[in-house]
Amino acid sequence: MKRLLLSLRFIGTGYHGWQVQDNACTVQGEVQNALERLLGSRPAVTGCSRTDSGVHANQFCCHFDTGKNLPPETIVRALNHYLPLDIGAVACREVSGHFHARYSCCSKEYVYKIYHSSVRDPFWEGRAFLTGGPLHENWMNAAAAAFLGAHDFKAFCAAGAKPGDTVRTVKHIRVEREGAFVNLIVEADGFLYNMVRIMAGTLLEVGRGKIPPQKVSEILEGKDRGQAGPTAPAHGLYLNRVVYSFDDEGTRKADFHG
Amino acid sequence: MKRLLLSLRFIGTGYHGWQVQDNACTVQGEVQNALERLLGSRPAVTGCSRTDSGVHANQFCCHFDTGKNLPPETIVRALNHYLPLDIGAVACREVSGHFHARYSCCSKEYVYKIYHSSVRDPFWEGRAFLTGGPLHENWMNAAAAAFLGAHDFKAFCAAGAKPGDTVRTVKHIRVEREGAFVNLIVEADGFLYNMVRIMAGTLLEVGRGKIPPQKVSEILEGKDRGQAGPTAPAHGLYLNRVVYSFDDEGTRKADFHG
């Protein structure tokens, strides 16, 4: 048996998130279908995280075990043949049996894409959150700095989520304008349920002048979900990058870019 | 009655081109449906060009006449409500009664988007032409220079197209790499049927080393469709920009950017 790490890209619009559920189309289910056609048996596939319904991925990683001895390039090519067109296989590599797509992950980066315009763009329909009116990305960027470092992010976790450890470490965060887009880019060691979408919803209120930038650190310290902004819609969110340490294999810590 | 110039963006995948046809879904038909709901009667809508089935538009212009006195911003907002999500209204302005979306057009710019990769990307599915293997964009750019200026483009016109004047003037042309994309950008006073797609198919052969760059001017001079490369697929092609002279209204020549 060998363990393979697979890197995917997908448009989340047509899926009820990653994780297999009864009577719902999921990315994990489609990947298992495609692997079953390729390998002749249906492997268990473990993802780097659950993603919500409608959330996209520029990079999503998962692992599975197989006794078949196929070169990784062949697996990528075959999966791109069997997978639906809104899910693509990008890369595949063999990893040690100790590797785990979720637990070996040192950090993940999400991007929340805001399309700042008074008119919709068909090419970005369902792929970015459209908002018009004044939006000050510099206020948003200043406010986002409050999230840097280790904090209890209870105020930025969906109400009703399983209670438990709500401390996470944000390694990098910034809000930047790229033409008509205002992007929130955040890398952390882990994320709570809806954390980036609540951050985005709160920073949008800051950008619109409804919450003063300096108030965001108070909201964070207050640990009260009710004080943060609304949960921004799923269709603006992308899992952008998954970072693994491959130390256990003697290679130095590096992104898995395929 | 006043004449209005409307600027659109659309994803061509779901449409049999611009022009209304029996038993086929077209962009013109959808625009007329939306205008009928807004204005209470169905206006004739004249486009800047016919586009092929599956071709996209970053900008497409059309005009129509109405007795209704609605502000252009209201028309844009209402159309974005009534139009399907893969067609967007970008801008609207009143023009003189002499203005014609097709005949007042001084030039149009097309972009042919080549996604140069060995693996497909779900986000570009149906929105760029995927090709792997070696592709030398510098050879393509050198060859493209042969098209500059006034030429008889008969060799770059679909066989079976209506015979007639096949001279067009290419004002700007270049092939440039942008990350994994190789884009052919061409502006001309007009285009023959399939002209950009045959140019793209021929330049792709140049980029792959199958046609020497210097041979393209011979192909052009030969006026034989059989000597040029294949017609590249519709889904890589975008009408990118439509340029009007507004001289007849006393304003200086300018792009209509809305």
Side-chain angles (χ1 to χ4, degrees), chain B residues 1-239:
Chain B
M1 287 299 260
K2 60 184 183 181
R3 180 157 292 185
L4 291 161
L5 169 57
L6 179 66
S7 181
L8 305 168
R9 276 165 82 81
F10 60 80
I11 301 175
T13 313
Y15 299 97
H16 288 262
W18 163 258
Q19 186 114 337
V20 163
Q21 297 168 44
D22 287 341
N23 306 319
C25 192
T26 67
V27 179
Q28 187 184 31
E30 294 295 336
V31 172
Q32 287 179 327
N33 289 346
L35 283 170
E36 185 171 6
R37 292 181 69 177
L38 172 63
L39 305 171
S41 64
R42 192 174 184 84
V45 175
T46 305
C48 60
S49 68
R50 299 180 180 205
T51 57
D52 284 350
S53 193
V55 171
H56 313 297
N58 285 323
Q59 187 183 26
F60 185 97
C61 291
C62 58
H63 80 258
F64 63 95
D65 295 332
T66 180
K68 284 269 164 67
N69 199 22
L70 292 165
E73 317 81 71
T74 305
I75 295 175
V76 169
R77 204 169 43 240
L79 286 179
N80 279 327
H81 178 72
Y82 292 130
L83 282 168
L85 294 177
D86 49 10
I87 304 175
V90 177
C92 188
R93 58 168 287 183
E94 192 174 342
V95 288
S96 86
H98 306 296
F99 178 90
H100 190 283
R102 182 166 172 202
Y103 300 120
S104 302
C105 177
C106 350
S107 64
K108 290 193 284 276
E109 182 183 85
Y110 279 91
V111 174
Y112 195 89
K113 285 191 90 70
I114 298 159
Y115 180 55
H116 182 219
S117 172
S118 59
V119 290
R120 61 183 179 77
D121 181 336
F123 291 96
W124 285 97
E125 190 63 43
R127 299 187 182 189
F129 172 59
L130 173 69
T131 190
L135 189 69
H136 298 272
E137 69 275 10
N138 49 337
W139 298 352
M140 297 168 74
N141 189 48
F147 297 128
L148 255 182
H151 298 279
D152 184 337
F153 283 95
K154 196 160 180 288
F156 293 84
C157 179
K162 269 196 304 216
D165 179 19
T166 48
V167 175
R168 294 292 182 278
T169 301
V170 170
K171 298 173 178 181
H172 298 285
I173 187 165
R174 62 186 193 280
V175 175
E176 59 184 27
R177 181 174 286 273
E178 235 192 285
F181 289 89
V182 174
N183 298 325
L184 162 65
I185 301 141
V186 53
E187 181 183 343
D189 60 348
F191 290 89
L192 305 173
Y193 187 48
N194 280 355
M195 181 167 149
V196 185
R197 291 169 57 188
I198 303 169
M199 282 177 161
T202 306
L203 293 174
L204 275 161
E205 299 279 79
V206 171
R208 291 165 180 150
K210 293 183 183 170
I211 295 179
Q214 62 277 15
K215 204 174 168 226
V216 171
S217 60
E218 277 176 48
I219 296 171
L220 187 59
E221 285 161 26
K223 295 174 199 169
D224 174 9
R225 169 69 190 91
Q227 296 305 302
T231 306
H235 67 266
L237 187 61
Y238 291 71
L239 177 53

Side-chain angles (χ1 to χ4, degrees), chain A residues 16-254:
Chain A
H16 288 261
W18 164 258
Q19 187 114 336
V20 163
Q21 296 168 43
D22 287 341
N23 307 318
C25 192
T26 67
V27 179
Q28 187 184 31
E30 294 295 335
V31 172
Q32 286 180 326
N33 289 347
L35 283 171
E36 185 170 5
R37 291 181 69 178
L38 172 62
L39 304 171
S41 63
R42 192 174 184 84
V45 176
T46 305
C48 60
S49 67
R50 298 179 179 204
T51 57
D52 283 350
S53 193
V55 171
H56 313 297
N58 285 323
Q59 188 184 26
F60 184 97
C61 291
C62 57
H63 79 258
F64 63 94
D65 295 332
T66 179
K68 283 270 164 64
N69 198 21
L70 292 166
E73 318 81 73
T74 305
I75 294 174
V76 169
R77 203 168 44 240
L79 286 179
N80 279 327
H81 179 71
Y82 292 130
L83 282 167
L85 293 177
D86 48 10
I87 304 175
V90 178
C92 188
R93 57 168 287 182
E94 193 174 343
V95 287
S96 85
H98 305 296
F99 179 90
H100 189 282
R102 184 166 170 200
Y103 301 121
S104 303
C105 177
C106 349
S107 64
K108 291 194 283 277
E109 182 183 84
Y110 280 91
V111 174
Y112 195 90
K113 285 191 90 70
I114 298 160
Y115 180 55
H116 183 219
S117 173
S118 58
V119 290
R120 61 183 179 78
D121 181 336
F123 291 96
W124 285 98
E125 190 62 43
R127 298 187 181 188
F129 172 60
L130 173 70
T131 191
L135 190 69
H136 298 272
E137 69 274 10
N138 48 337
W139 299 352
M140 297 169 72
N141 190 48
F147 297 128
L148 256 182
H151 298 279
D152 184 338
F153 282 96
K154 196 159 179 287
F156 293 84
C157 179
K162 269 196 303 217
D165 178 20
T166 48
V167 175
R168 294 292 182 277
T169 301
V170 170
K171 299 174 178 180
H172 299 284
I173 187 164
R174 63 187 192 279
V175 175
E176 58 185 27
R177 181 173 285 273
E178 233 192 286
F181 289 89
V182 174
N183 298 324
L184 162 65
I185 302 141
V186 52
E187 182 183 342
D189 60 348
F191 291 89
L192 305 174
Y193 187 49
N194 281 355
M195 180 167 149
V196 184
R197 291 169 58 189
I198 302 170
M199 282 177 162
T202 306
L203 293 173
L204 275 160
E205 299 279 80
V206 171
R208 291 165 180 149
K210 292 183 185 170
I211 295 179
Q214 61 278 14
K215 194 157 180 244
V216 171
S217 60
E218 277 176 48
I219 295 171
L220 187 58
E221 285 161 26
K223 294 173 198 169
D224 175 9
R225 170 69 190 90
Q227 295 305 303
T231 306
H235 67 267
L237 187 61
Y238 291 71
L239 176 52
N240 200 45
R241 208 159 54 95
V242 187
V243 184
Y244 291 108
S245 158
F246 288 110
D247 284 346
D248 59 344
E249 295 164 279
T251 56
R252 64 186 190 82
K253 181 177 164 176

